[in-house]
Amino acid sequence: MPESKLTAPDAPQRPYTRTVHGDAVLDPYHWMADKADPELIAYLEAENAYTDQETAGLDGVTEAIYEELKARTKQTDLSVPTHVTHTDGTSYWYYSRTTEGLDYPRSYRLPATSRDAIPDVTTAPAGEELVLDAQALAEGHAFFSMGLAQVSPDGRRLAYSLDTSGDERYDLWITDLATGETLDGPISGIGAGGAWAGADWIFYTRVDDAWRPHQVWRHHLLGDEPDALVAEEPDERFWIGVDDSRDHRWVLIESSSKLTSEVSLLPAADPTATPRVVADREQGVDYSVEVAPDGLWILHNAEAPQFALSRAPFSATSRAEWELVLPEDPRRRLTGVSVYERAIVVEHRTDGLPGVLVLSRDSAGNVGQTLELQFDEVLYDVGAEEAPDFDTDRFRFSYESLVTPPSVWEYRLDTGDRRLLKRTPVLDDPTRGPYDPDAYVSERLWATGLDGTRIPVSLVRRRDTPVDGSAPGLLYGYGAYEVPTMPYFAMSRLSLLDRGVVFAIAHVRGGGELGRPWYEGGKELTKPNTFSDFVEAGRLLIADGHVAADRLMAEGGSAGGLLMGAAVNLAPDLFRAVHAVVPFVDPLTTILNPDLPLTVMEWEEWGNPLADPDIYATMKGYSPYENVRPVPYPALLITTSLNDTRVEVTEPAKWTARLRDTVTNPADRPILLKTEMVAGHGGVSGRYKAWKERAFQLAWLLHQVGIDA
């Protein structure tokens, strides 16, 4: 007899009432907060089985897109070698190599005699040394993620950390690069980062029960003394991190909240010294420190909402000792700084696009002429890469766009010349031929928000895709934490564009595309702007004829998943299909519970609904889980991971159950939940598994708009 067809899972309901500020809310799926509940695991497995059944017909298109991804990608490839001079005087070129058929890269180094001529390491040259074999470390693990991977300042040792479950707790190991011998470890259950102090000490972070990095510890390699606590952050709004300066002379300890930061310095030559604060924290003052041989360079928003650059002596302990170098420009958000003997390189975002400023320096270190790097494309993403050596005469920058693959360029500080070092190749597609960037067109559109604010939208399509209201389109968005979504290149996107799909990014408020005011216009009480901006961007695509009214898709993940949920509640008839990735769709329940991972740290982003009735009302008004309506919704694919500590699996599971209870979708608009049972916030690990999963997601979206080949 044929197998019986599965029906959509019906999650059990258990009575529960949440009462806050006198508001009583029934939540029959609150029980899903217990991830150890066998009934939740059974429900997730039942949803996976149902999704597998309902998407079985997509296997052919999924496989076709997967093969396109593999065909376009140069699977055996190299990074551009980077020159590093160690404290013992030795110099190496460091690079990584991917190999066809293997998921993870291997890292190597080659002794260097000069930094002028980048060596050809296409095939393993004589003298090549293996630094880290991620493929070997990943063997036997269903999930694998690297945290720290850092060579000691003298070049003799390697510190690396691994997460093999997706919960972002790492194990740290130390190896001898000459012999490959494991010298120390594991130091278990720690945070992702770390820093060397000389060749014999390593600093690392530990996380508390809320997954907040809250302590910095010091470990002496091969020493008998126990690890020592160096710094602890008691304020639950803040997390703590540790790094070392580019010249390896200082250890930097930074405590940060969403809006405020405080940096301390510790001399690497004296690892047991007490850290010294550069400037005491002030609520709302956010600063970072670049340590150079000639002092401290500080990027900050003190009396400068879009950030300014100041300098200070090593001995500085207060903001009064900062000297302004580059004042704030209200149109330009400064985002990063790297200081060299010959120049200062400053990254920024202006009018929704990133940029790089080069500030020349004379022999006395004084700042002179300012030069802005110029680019030909209308839309692009660019970022300066930090050169290891202070006395360098060059630095590199990365560049890409919606049609230009990721590229590495070198800029000469002495001449102003630039040269292309590498552009990620796009190989010929066996069925579609070679990649031709001129076959595509990108442009900037402007939607109008409900309050009249102009919302930038970045769009790319094939030149031969008609702009007559007939094309399918995919609108992407994020809009939180002042994180910008730049016009980036994606190999997988070509499989959409070549099938006639228009792709667009809505740069909604809450992100960082237009600087700090843009962020502040989409957080806390103004958060609803984020969602209405996205809806208006979608309506613009239809009104301008870029996308058919019945073929608009949407996609976003994490806080962008919240965006998806809120947008479909606002305008359920606008979208044909939505892919919500690890979606933060029950934000009020989460932010009301300070015992959950990361909640207290999030109060400066969303507000504190426990203490503020207005924040509570605002969040209740946009929470996707609490505002599902009994009307037809788009088809929904909801993807998540069991071990995600940033957005608990509880949220998408509850949302799925409530959608099924409430919406009135026809059979051709399914609601599907797919859970990775061994993965974290970033989904599956390993490039081939990630490509296969992305191919499935795109195949599902395409099917919803009538494309099945």
Side-chain angles (χ1 to χ4, degrees):
M1 293 181 62
E3 278 189 36
S4 59
K5 189 175 175 67
L6 298 173
T7 58
D10 185 13
Q13 298 190 15
R14 302 177 190 171
Y16 177 83
T17 302
R18 180 193 76 208
T19 304
V20 179
H21 302 302
D23 180 42
V25 176
L26 299 177
D27 185 356
Y29 300 113
H30 180 79
W31 64 270
M32 292 185 183
D34 181 5
K35 293 200 300 182
D37 189 326
E39 200 161 12
L40 174 61
I41 301 301
Y43 171 67
L44 297 177
E45 290 173 341
E47 288 284 2
N48 280 349
Y50 179 69
T51 296
D52 288 345
Q53 170 189 275
E54 295 301 295
T55 60
L58 302 179
D59 289 351
V61 181
T62 298
E63 188 64 23
I65 295 173
Y66 176 61
E67 291 299 326
E68 291 167 13
L69 267 170
K70 290 201 300 179
R72 293 190 190 105
T73 303
K74 188 177 181 181
Q75 296 176 54
T76 297
D77 203 3
L78 291 159
S79 66
V80 180
T82 298
H83 184 274
V84 176
T85 300
H86 292 295
T87 55
D88 65 355
T90 59
S91 295
Y92 289 89
W93 292 99
Y94 283 84
Y95 51 95
S96 63
R97 182 180 289 122
T98 57
T99 303
E100 185 171 356
L102 301 182
D103 275 310
Y104 302 99
R106 295 185 173 102
S107 299
Y108 297 90
R109 68 181 183 181
L110 183 69
T113 56
S114 166
R115 68 182 175 197
D116 289 324
I118 300 174
D120 181 359
V121 292
T122 306
T123 57
E128 179 179 84
E129 302 174 15
L130 179 65
V131 175
L132 180 68
D133 188 343
Q135 183 67 34
L137 293 172
E139 291 298 328
H141 298 293
F143 178 89
F144 175 82
S145 177
M146 296 290 305
L148 180 69
Q150 190 175 98
V151 174
S152 61
D154 65 357
R156 294 189 297 117
R157 293 167 175 164
L158 172 72
Y160 67 90
S161 61
L162 310 175
D163 168 18
T164 55
S165 69
D167 65 359
E168 299 186 53
R169 297 206 180 194
Y170 295 79
D171 293 339
L172 175 67
W173 303 81
I174 313 293
T175 61
D176 185 303
L177 287 175
T179 66
E181 175 189 1
T182 298
L183 301 176
D184 215 336
I187 302 173
S188 297
I190 67 172
W196 286 97
D200 298 321
W201 297 83
I202 190 85
F203 287 70
Y204 62 89
T205 60
R206 287 201 176 276
V207 298
D208 62 14
D209 291 340
W211 254 254
R212 176 181 69 102
H214 72 127
Q215 295 175 334
V216 173
W217 287 73
R218 179 180 67 235
H219 176 77
H220 190 198
L221 273 67
L222 310 177
D224 294 330
E225 67 268 38
D227 291 5
L229 178 65
V230 178
E232 184 167 17
E233 179 50 68
D235 190 330
E236 291 182 279
R237 297 174 303 157
F238 286 72
W239 62 93
I240 198 166
V242 62
D243 201 356
D244 62 339
S245 61
R246 199 149 27 98
D247 62 6
H248 306 296
R249 294 193 300 132
W250 298 89
V251 174
L252 288 78
I253 298 171
E254 181 171 359
S255 289
S256 301
S257 74
K258 302 293 182 188
L259 302 175
T260 306
S261 61
E262 179 181 77
V263 179
S264 299
L265 299 178
L266 183 154
D270 186 9
T272 61
T274 301
R276 174 178 54 81
V277 174
V278 172
D280 289 335
R281 72 184 62 173
E282 302 174 52
Q283 178 61 31
V285 175
D286 184 4
Y287 73 92
S288 60
V289 176
E290 162 82 342
V291 181
D294 58 354
L296 308 179
W297 297 79
I298 301 158
L299 204 64
H300 64 89
N301 69 340
E303 301 167 2
Q306 292 282 55
F307 286 69
L309 178 64
S310 296
R311 66 184 303 177
F314 288 115
S315 59
T317 57
S318 75
R319 193 153 60 84
E321 298 170 83
W322 297 2
E323 176 191 353
L324 186 64
V325 175
L326 184 63
E328 178 202 25
D329 180 338
R331 291 178 54 250
R332 182 179 64 199
R333 167 68 157 95
L334 303 185
T335 58
V337 61
S338 298
V339 178
Y340 305 107
E341 186 176 51
R342 291 175 172 83
I344 300 169
V345 179
V346 178
E347 296 173 280
H348 66 91
R349 289 193 297 273
T350 302
D351 295 332
L353 286 175
V356 177
L357 296 173
V358 180
L359 285 62
S360 64
R361 305 181 72 191
D362 61 23
S363 58
N366 299 311
V367 177
Q369 181 181 2
T370 298
L371 173 74
E372 175 84 44
L373 298 192
Q374 299 294 323
F375 305 98
D376 295 333
E377 293 185 88
V378 175
L379 301 174
Y380 55 84
D381 188 17
V382 64
E385 298 182 3
E386 193 173 70
D389 303 324
F390 177 72
D391 65 349
T392 187
D393 58 4
R394 68 201 72 187
F395 73 93
R396 294 175 181 175
F397 64 88
S398 59
Y399 178 91
E400 64 185 294
S401 74
L402 292 168
V403 300
T404 301
S407 312
V408 178
W409 289 80
E410 179 182 84
Y411 181 88
R412 291 293 298 251
L413 294 170
D414 48 357
T415 65
D417 293 337
R418 63 173 87 173
R419 65 168 173 152
L420 178 64
L421 301 180
K422 180 182 177 65
R423 176 163 289 148
T424 300
V426 181
L427 304 183
D428 291 358
D429 184 317
T431 60
R432 302 179 190 275
Y435 174 66
D436 177 11
D438 290 334
Y440 306 84
V441 59
S442 62
E443 56 186 306
R444 169 59 54 83
L445 309 176
W446 294 89
T448 302
L450 296 181
D451 59 357
T453 300
R454 298 178 77 225
I455 314 300
V457 179
S458 298
L459 180 143
V460 62
R461 58 177 172 82
R462 283 190 63 93
R463 288 188 186 276
D464 55 8
T465 296
V467 186
D468 62 359
S470 65
L474 175 60
L475 182 62
Y476 179 85
Y478 185 73
Y481 304 110
E482 203 180 354
V483 173
T485 303
M486 292 290 98
Y488 64 98
F489 184 86
M491 199 78 78
S492 62
R493 189 187 303 138
L494 297 178
S495 293
L496 293 178
L497 299 178
D498 288 347
R499 288 172 169 83
V501 176
V502 174
F503 177 83
I505 302 168
H507 304 286
V508 297
R509 281 175 282 185
E513 289 86 345
L514 275 74
R516 183 55 63 95
W518 197 250
Y519 167 53
E520 292 173 344
K523 68 188 295 284
E524 297 182 308
L525 293 174
T526 61
K527 189 62 193 173
N529 288 335
T530 304
F531 316 128
S532 60
D533 287 355
F534 190 80
V535 168
E536 295 310 309
R539 288 175 173 152
L540 172 73
L541 295 179
I542 294 169
D544 281 4
H546 287 287
V547 178
D550 60 349
R551 303 184 81 188
L552 177 61
M553 303 168 281
E555 184 175 53
S558 194
L562 164 63
L563 174 59
M564 296 301 103
V568 298
N569 283 341
L570 283 175
D573 58 344
L574 181 63
F575 305 98
R576 176 60 182 81
V578 172
H579 177 210
V581 188
V582 290
F584 182 44
V585 283
D586 190 17
L588 184 53
T589 300
T590 295
I591 301 301
L592 280 168
N593 187 351
D595 296 327
L596 286 176
L598 310 179
T599 287
V600 176
M601 293 193 301
E602 295 286 327
W603 283 346
E604 288 186 345
E605 176 74 20
W606 312 99
N608 181 355
L610 277 172
D612 188 332
D614 291 337
I615 290 291
Y616 176 89
T618 299
M619 294 191 73
K620 185 182 179 186
Y622 67 68
S623 168
Y625 177 66
E626 302 193 33
N627 290 280
V628 178
R629 296 197 269 154
V631 298
Y633 268 51
L636 280 156
L637 174 63
I638 302 160
T639 55
T640 185
S641 299
L642 181 63
N643 295 333
D644 189 346
T645 58
R646 298 177 185 240
V647 178
E648 299 273 348
V649 70
T650 304
E651 297 197 32
K654 290 174 64 177
W655 187 43
T656 302
R658 176 154 284 176
L659 285 163
R660 289 247 179 79
D661 288 346
T662 309
V663 303
T664 59
N665 283 22
D668 64 346
R669 295 196 175 197
I671 294 167
L672 303 177
L673 174 65
K674 188 174 189 288
T675 305
E676 294 295 335
M677 304 305 282
V678 185
H681 194 62
V684 297
S685 63
R687 59 176 177 164
Y688 290 100
K689 287 188 289 185
W691 294 348
K692 196 62 173 272
E693 180 61 20
R694 187 57 179 155
F696 164 76
Q697 295 161 2
L698 296 183
W700 183 85
L701 286 166
L702 289 167
H703 174 70
Q704 294 301 320
V705 293
I707 301 174
D708 288 306

